[in-house]
Amino acid sequence: GGGKPEAKAIVVIVVAVVALLGAAVLFVTTGQPRNTKPTATQNVAPATGPQSYSLNEFTIKGATVLQAASVSLTARNTGQVAHQLTVLKTDLAASKLPLKGGQVVEDAPGIQVVSPGSDVNPGDSQQRSVDLSTPGNYLFICNIAGHYGWGMYSELDVTQGN
């Protein structure tokens, strides 16, 4: 096939750019989820004593396995906007809680509020005692509109002590 070499070069460049963009999108969309729960095979020892959780855009970081007890929790906002640390007990899938207006419906069937959250401003901390004496599945969420939907939650497995 004839044709101008400049036209062929432009087609090759366009195809290369499209391929690179496709690879970048594939990489971004198949990356590891931000909120991962340790598997049973990892044998994570349950944390005990006072616990501290870091709130940031849009993650909650801290222990994911705790021994059943009444726990002193500290929520530190290391982000740039206000966040909350609401503690729920639920067997619902962490990413599938019912929403209304961008917030988790805290009184929905299958959700028990163990400790309601209140706003923690950037740079501030909030400390409170939370009753986690019943083993089971818990969730830490930020229930400021939109934050949960952006992945700001963390699963917590509360286990019976030895």
Side-chain angles (χ1 to χ4, degrees):
K4 297 182 180 176
E6 295 86 9
K8 287 183 180 177
I10 290 172
V11 168
V12 168
I13 291 170
V14 168
V15 168
V17 168
V18 168
L20 284 172
L21 286 173
V25 167
L26 188 64
F27 176 77
V28 168
T29 58
T30 59
Q32 288 291 324
R34 283 191 300 199
N35 296 298
T36 55
K37 188 174 180 179
T39 60
T41 57
Q42 288 177 300
N43 291 327
V44 174
T48 58
Q51 297 297 313
S52 183
Y53 288 84
S54 171
L55 312 177
N56 204 322
E57 291 78 51
F58 287 94
T59 61
I60 298 174
K61 293 183 179 162
T64 56
V65 181
L66 292 179
Q67 185 169 307
S70 183
V71 178
S72 174
L73 287 185
T74 301
R76 291 185 185 359
N77 186 344
T78 59
Q80 304 299 311
V81 298
H83 293 297
Q84 296 176 350
L85 185 67
T86 298
V87 183
L88 307 176
K89 185 169 188 334
T90 183
D91 288 325
L92 299 175
S95 62
K96 305 284 189 202
L97 300 184
L99 298 178
K100 183 175 183 179
Q103 293 179 289
V104 171
V105 180
E106 294 180 359
D107 60 356
I111 296 177
Q112 174 191 346
V113 177
V114 176
S115 181
S118 59
D119 290 7
V120 181
N121 290 317
D124 288 350
S125 294
Q126 180 185 88
Q127 201 245 336
R128 64 186 186 242
S129 182
V130 179
D131 182 4
L132 298 174
S133 58
T134 304
N137 299 315
Y138 292 78
L139 273 179
F140 290 139
I141 67 167
C142 177
N143 212 12
I144 291 177
H147 292 201
Y148 166 84
W150 292 324
M152 194 164 179
Y153 58 87
S154 179
E155 297 178 79
L156 175 67
D157 181 19
V158 175
T159 64
Q160 190 60 53
N162 293 334

